[in-house]
Amino acid sequence: MARSEPAEEQVVIEGVPMVAALVPGDGIGLLALHGSNEGGTAELARTVARRCGATSLVFTQPGARRPVHVTSPRMAADRCALLREFLDRVSLTVSLHGHMRPGAPRTVFLGGGNRAAARVLAEALAAHVPHFPAVTDLAAIPSALRGVHPRNPVNLTRLGGVQVELPLLARTGGAADLPPGEVVEALAAGVTELGRAAHRGPGLTG
């Protein structure tokens, strides 16, 4: 039987102690693999999932003075039972990350294997936060931010997913780790539309 209550798991990945926190919901999943490294991503994953009734999984390193960045492809499902459960539960993943590219202080890069889903999120961002332009062309996204590695968890659900690389201003508002409300609204609108599209049929297959 599928879990219906939140759960936590202490894991060690690449020698780094972490806590994975799963909040079950519907078939779209919000994932924050680097919640302690990339400010605002954990809060965005939790908040957007709660708004949409979606599933969220957040990894943090509580108490770490200098959180270690374990690359996404190394966050393997065989090392975390809750990650395996997340991947089994959801049909499509929206994986939230943060970037600090000096030449792109307001640009949101939308990578990951599901390009149709990336375009859905881009439309929502354009409608709600046009001052944070979204890039969906993989050739225009820095290679380290494309999220297309086959072992990256964003690509391991049935419909794959979208790796959302957010600049600092779009995930913290420049203060603490509190995401701007307008970004929350934009992502919630996009995730809601992804949920509708996933229910309609094969339109999000790539």
Side-chain angles (χ1 to χ4, degrees):
M1 178 178 288
R3 187 192 303 272
S4 60
E5 298 296 326
E8 285 192 355
E9 179 185 4
Q10 295 185 0
V11 296
V12 178
I13 300 176
E14 298 285 305
V16 180
M18 303 183 190
V19 173
L22 175 74
V23 179
D26 288 339
I28 303 298
L30 277 294
L31 180 62
L33 293 173
H34 306 122
S36 293
N37 307 75
E38 299 169 351
T41 57
E43 292 74 17
L44 273 172
R46 295 186 188 109
T47 304
V48 172
R50 188 167 57 247
R51 291 275 187 96
C52 303
T55 297
S56 68
L57 180 63
V58 172
F59 286 83
T60 55
Q61 299 173 37
R65 295 181 62 185
R66 294 185 178 179
V68 177
H69 185 276
V70 178
T71 62
S72 298
R74 293 182 177 275
M75 299 286 284
D78 60 356
R79 301 177 185 179
C80 178
L82 286 184
L83 179 55
R84 291 195 298 274
E85 182 173 335
F86 174 89
L87 295 174
D88 287 341
R89 170 183 287 273
V90 308
S91 59
L92 186 145
T93 299
V94 176
S95 187
L96 301 176
H97 296 259
H99 76 81
M100 298 286 288
R101 298 282 162 154
R106 288 188 168 274
T107 303
V108 179
F109 296 108
L110 300 176
N114 193 316
R115 306 317 302 149
R119 291 188 289 274
V120 169
L121 285 184
E123 290 175 4
L125 290 166
H128 291 268
V129 283
H131 48 291
F132 289 119
V135 175
T136 59
D137 180 1
L138 285 176
I141 298 175
S143 58
L145 307 182
R146 289 175 187 166
V148 293
H149 195 288
R151 289 199 301 273
N152 188 327
V154 74
N155 299 315
L156 296 181
T157 43
R158 179 169 60 85
L159 296 175
V162 185
Q163 180 155 310
V164 183
E165 293 278 357
L166 297 151
L168 186 64
L169 289 174
R171 52 191 165 90
T172 68
D177 284 345
L178 298 177
E182 59 188 359
V183 175
V184 172
E185 295 296 333
L187 288 173
V191 168
T192 298
E193 181 54 35
L194 287 175
R196 294 191 188 111
H199 282 299
R200 284 196 295 266
L204 289 178
T205 55

